[in-house]
Amino acid sequence: MNNGEKVVIDTNVLVSALWSENGNSAEIIKMIPNDIVPCFGDSIFEEYTEVLNRPKFAFSTNKKEELLAKMKEFGEAVTPEKSDIPLPDETDRVFYDTATASGATLITGNKKDYPDEPFILTPAEFLRKKNAV
């Protein structure tokens, strides 16, 4: 069993990681499985798959499949209760609820889509926090 920090990774972080192999988002993906454990449920994984396969991104099939396989192999399945906290985009609720249910850090490139909570960090903030430990 991996004892890395539990994280919920918003889909925009996966997109950024595939766009730029040297950016903060890619650095976070490289932390799997040694330092972090991605937490997700079926609906999150379905969103990952759907978004990464959008033709507008034109990501290589190998890179998408490798990323999704890594997430699935080293991740932890979570089935959260649905919260009633107000969110600007209802599709983000499952990420928020999964993070709260699993005691995980939610890593997102769009903090404005979530409440101002200390467990919600941008990729840069998360890396700064990890490097400070």
Side-chain angles (χ1 to χ4, degrees):
M1 179 67 191
N2 188 322
N3 57 1
E5 181 177 352
K6 291 182 178 185
V7 297
V8 174
I9 302 174
D10 201 344
T11 310
N12 57 57
V13 175
L14 298 186
V15 169
S16 295
L18 288 176
W19 256 331
S20 172
E21 294 182 19
N22 298 316
N24 289 332
S25 295
E27 289 304 310
I28 288 168
I29 299 306
K30 291 174 190 168
M31 296 171 82
I32 303 167
N34 298 322
D35 300 310
I36 61 173
V37 177
C39 298
F40 54 83
D42 290 341
S43 59
I44 289 177
F45 207 82
E46 287 167 13
E47 178 175 319
Y48 289 165
T49 304
E50 187 272 319
V51 171
L52 295 182
N53 283 306
R54 287 181 182 164
K56 71 177 182 178
F57 293 130
F59 294 134
S60 92
T61 300
N62 278 355
K63 288 193 175 190
K64 290 183 293 195
E65 287 177 357
E66 284 174 18
L67 175 56
L68 292 171
K70 185 177 190 177
M71 297 287 289
K72 195 152 235 168
E73 180 180 354
F74 299 108
E76 184 176 301
V78 177
T79 306
E81 295 288 320
K82 187 174 178 181
S83 68
D84 59 2
I85 190 158
L87 293 176
D89 183 351
E90 195 55 38
T91 63
D92 291 324
R93 179 170 308 284
V94 68
F95 293 93
Y96 180 87
D97 291 348
T98 300
T100 57
S102 56
T105 299
L106 173 56
I107 305 172
T108 180
N110 294 324
K111 280 179 66 173
K112 68 182 180 351
D113 292 345
Y114 297 97
D116 185 14
E117 301 267 6
F119 69 90
I120 301 173
L121 302 174
T122 65
E125 290 168 339
F126 181 78
L127 290 172
R128 275 196 301 276
K129 181 183 138 210
K130 286 299 272 185
N131 290 330
V133 173

